[in-house]
Amino acid sequence: MQIALREVHDSDLPVFFRQMNDPESLRMAAFTPKDPADRDTFDAHWKRVRASDAVHRTILVDGDVVGSAAVYGEPGEREVTYWIDRAYWGRGIATTALRLLIAEVPERPLYARAAADNAGSRRVLEKCGFRVTARASGYANARGEEIDEVVLTLDA
Ligand SMILES: CC(C)(COP(=O)(O)OP(=O)(O)OC[C@H]1O[C@@H](n2cnc3c(N)ncnc32)[C@H](O)[C@@H]1OP(=O)(O)O)[C@@H](O)C(=O)NCCC(=O)NCCS
């Protein structure tokens, strides 16, 4: 299995839109847009992020688009995020993709936020060297309630 990152192409966006509208994925990620099925909001979001200095990458497995990963935010407060098509979960893809991404972006520290009960995402981050440094809570659109979240930090 060949896992690689590349720049985002316009033709990836409909694939991301489908991947990010999977109900189980939305529930897991929890902190999601208010209406993920709104294509106009999705397109406006991608227009903004592609014009920013965020690093957005498409994740390929053997040439297929299986998800996305990004580093975004203000200098000194950069956060990582990622999303994998549910059909590809549990094969080490997010872990490899995040390793490739943090190797490409030299800035440290890097931060990540995850729903406290998002065990898969927390495991991915820990395997890549992130450690829990804070706890918080916030309103999770995909759950319709306030939930606990963890902040993880990658220092060196
Ligand atoms: C979280 C997510 C990115 C993981 O992708 P993935 O490619 O399946 O991740 P990997 O296979 O690299 O690693 C997953 C790890 O978490 C573990 N894991 C997965 N689900 C778990 C669960 N419910 N409980 C405990 N561990 C779990 C796996 O066993 C694996 O650890 P291991 O290698 O020690 O066995 C994917 O599920 C996803 O896209 N979810 C929806 C979006 C999301 O939550 N994004 C992150 C927002 S913070």
Side-chain angles (χ1 to χ4, degrees):
M1 189 170 68
Q2 185 74 37
I3 302 170
L5 302 183
R6 68 149 164 72
E7 304 238 323
V8 175
H9 297 170
D10 290 346
S11 59
D12 300 337
L13 298 184
V15 183
F16 295 163
F17 185 69
R18 178 182 55 74
Q19 291 168 345
M20 291 179 173
N21 270 287
D22 170 59
E24 196 175 327
S25 305
L26 286 164
R27 204 201 155 276
M28 185 175 183
F31 298 104
T32 60
K34 236 184 226 159
D35 184 3
D38 181 344
R39 185 63 202 250
D40 290 341
T41 306
F42 174 89
D43 287 338
H45 166 78
W46 275 95
K47 197 171 175 190
R48 264 196 320 276
V49 298
R50 291 175 86 187
S52 75
D53 65 355
V55 178
H56 274 270
R57 295 289 177 258
T58 295
I59 305 169
L60 300 176
V61 171
D62 297 333
D64 290 335
V65 175
V66 304
S68 64
V71 179
Y72 67 98
E74 298 301 313
E77 296 174 16
R78 296 255 199 247
E79 285 189 33
V80 300
T81 184
Y82 39 80
W83 198 288
I84 305 291
D85 188 327
R86 187 151 62 91
Y88 290 86
W89 286 4
R91 302 187 206 173
I93 295 168
T95 305
T96 299
L98 183 59
R99 282 205 180 111
L100 292 170
L101 185 70
I102 63 181
E104 198 180 311
V105 177
E107 295 174 52
R108 300 291 182 270
L110 288 174
Y111 298 97
R113 288 172 174 273
D117 61 8
N118 189 343
S121 186
R122 290 180 62 168
R123 180 81 188 114
V124 167
L125 290 160
E126 278 162 9
K127 284 193 287 181
C128 290
F130 285 76
R131 295 290 170 256
V132 174
T133 48
R135 286 167 198 279
S137 64
Y139 187 79
N141 284 321
R143 310 269 184 96
E145 61 178 346
E146 182 148 323
I147 62 166
D148 292 335
E149 64 176 331
V150 284
V151 180
L152 297 96
T153 306
L154 178 70
D155 279 315

